[in-house]
Amino acid sequence: MKRRGLYIVTALLLAALALTLRISLQNGEKRIREDADRAFKTAVERHYTERIERFRYADHRVLSPDVERYASVPAFDRKIKNYTLRTPKGKTTYTFRDSLSETKAKRLLNEYILAGTNPVNPDKLNALFQEQLALLKIDGKTGTVYRNGKMRRCSRDSLPPSSAYFTPLYALDITGEVKAQAWVDYGFLTLWRHVDSTFYWFLSMIAAGVGGYLYIWRLRRRERSVRGIVIDLGKQELYVDGVQCAIPKLDLALLNLLLERKGECVSREEIKRCFWEKDENADEKIDTHIKMLRKILRDFPEHRIVTVRGRGYYLVIGGSDTRRAAARPGRGD
């Protein structure tokens, strides 16, 4: 019955551990994807900064001065609802769904201008993306995709596996035609590094519990491996085959007498002299205490008290030869 209960508890712990691991892996996967999205946004921003700097110091003869001027005009700290681009062909006003900071609106406009002069380089963008992922301890193959209308360009790693995670397709310019996307195929090692800390806490609790149980089990096994009867009169303790047994003081003293003379018969007269020399009810008391000792030893069948009719008692320990002991004359007869 105890073993069945142990199996049930073990099964419940393993089920709880499996459920915790599954939830932790799901949370880890969600965290990886959120980090990958942020890493790609950062890579896009860095790539934009590099391209706009090259644009400002390059000679753009094909562009009108008005268009070139937009890239160098500073943005103000304000919210705007629309942005107007003037070209030799006229002016175009772009209206935003929600008010944007002028800095963000100007970047969208600059991306529109850069798409014709310094477009996104998918390989360079992918390299920046990998740098950001490395900082977040996300390993695996990566790739980027750049779209401008119907035109589509990919980095060298242009064939993502089916297991890869794709970031959202981000619109870069003011028209919404210029877009970029990235993918990363991370492995189980990356996922394990991002496992939720709840799993490790739960695992440590189970490990501590199992370790404690095994330690106690080992101690009990070691105790039970010590065969025989051990009595400590000073501490009033009795150990039978390594198991401590509760026993009254007088019963312990009587058992100690039998233990000291194990294999030899101890007469009832000798027991009376040691414990109830002047007690008229000594015989009844001997019978009562012998009965109590046999009850204590009942769980240890290899150790028992044997009655020698008309003479007394002797103690058998660990299957000693009872016939030889019974034939030996006891002291005090």
Side-chain angles (χ1 to χ4, degrees), residues 51 55 60 62-63 67 109-120 146 148 151 173 178:
R51 288 157 53 227
F55 176 85
H60 304 286
V62 297
L63 294 178
V67 174
L109 183 62
N110 286 345
E111 283 283 10
Y112 171 74
I113 297 171
L114 291 173
T117 58
N118 298 80
V120 170
Y146 170 69
N148 187 351
M151 186 272 292
D173 77 324
V178 179

Side-chain angles (χ1 to χ4, degrees), residues 163-174:
S163 58
Y165 166 70
F166 284 82
T167 68
L169 186 62
Y170 295 109
L172 303 183
D173 77 324
I174 202 167

